[in-house]
Amino acid sequence: MGAGKTTVAALLGEAWGLPVRDTDADVEAAEGRSVSDIFVDSGEAHFRALEAAAVAEALDTCEGVLALGGGAVLDPASRALLVGHPVVFLRVGLSDAVQRVGLGTSRPLLLGNVRARVKALLDERTPVYEALATLVVDTDGRTPEDVAAEILAALG
């Protein structure tokens, strides 16, 4: 959350001349409502099921750059589908993440104490991200263009 996944994916797609997909956008398009609305109206479990289906479909049909929602890799089936694909973890520290997401009003997982929630999410998810990643790129204090340039240099 706040690492710049969507922005960096767009820069990579442009540089490589490839289409870009974002699974959160896919879920929103399929449901006709925002991720926040899905969380509020139908619950996190429903969103996670939609997200897992979107990841599976995108990996099956996307011939480009895929930006996954921050919680997508918590699903074991989604992690299994990512094996064999280049996976980049955009690592963001607590301070930068909180600055980037602001008060989290459009992010249902951040309701309440934003800093504490971001820290809890980072603590929970970082080991999963690191275990799955074929490339880890630190984003703190960096522009999306700089992050994309590092990925381009590493992945060609």
Side-chain angles (χ1 to χ4, degrees):
M1 192 176 298
K5 297 177 295 294
T6 301
T7 302
V8 171
L11 292 168
L12 294 173
E14 183 179 330
W16 284 323
L18 294 171
V20 177
R21 295 260 305 263
D22 183 306
T23 55
D24 281 348
D26 289 352
V27 168
E28 289 179 339
E31 285 288 294
R33 54 190 175 142
S34 71
V35 169
S36 292
D37 287 345
I38 296 167
F39 262 79
V40 170
D41 297 338
S42 303
E44 183 176 0
H46 180 70
F47 171 75
R48 294 296 173 205
L50 296 169
E51 180 179 54
V55 169
E57 195 274 331
L59 285 170
D60 190 43
T61 62
C62 181
E63 296 292 330
V65 180
L66 181 58
L68 300 181
V73 299
L74 299 178
D75 177 63
S78 294
R79 285 197 305 273
L81 292 173
L82 287 164
V83 172
H85 294 277
V87 176
V88 179
F89 167 33
L90 301 181
R91 182 171 31 217
V92 62
L94 178 60
S95 181
D96 278 38
V98 170
Q99 281 184 306
R100 292 175 189 172
V101 301
L103 295 177
T105 55
S106 67
R107 299 178 185 260
L109 288 178
L110 295 185
L111 296 177
N113 181 332
V114 174
R115 187 173 183 82
R117 289 294 301 139
V118 170
K119 181 179 182 338
L121 289 171
L122 288 173
D123 289 348
E124 171 193 3
R125 295 175 176 183
T126 296
V128 176
Y129 297 156
E130 289 175 341
L132 187 60
T134 53
L135 176 66
V136 177
V137 178
D138 290 309
T139 67
D140 286 356
R142 299 175 72 187
T143 66
E145 292 78 13
D146 186 39
V147 171
E150 182 176 336
I151 296 167
L152 289 166
L155 299 181

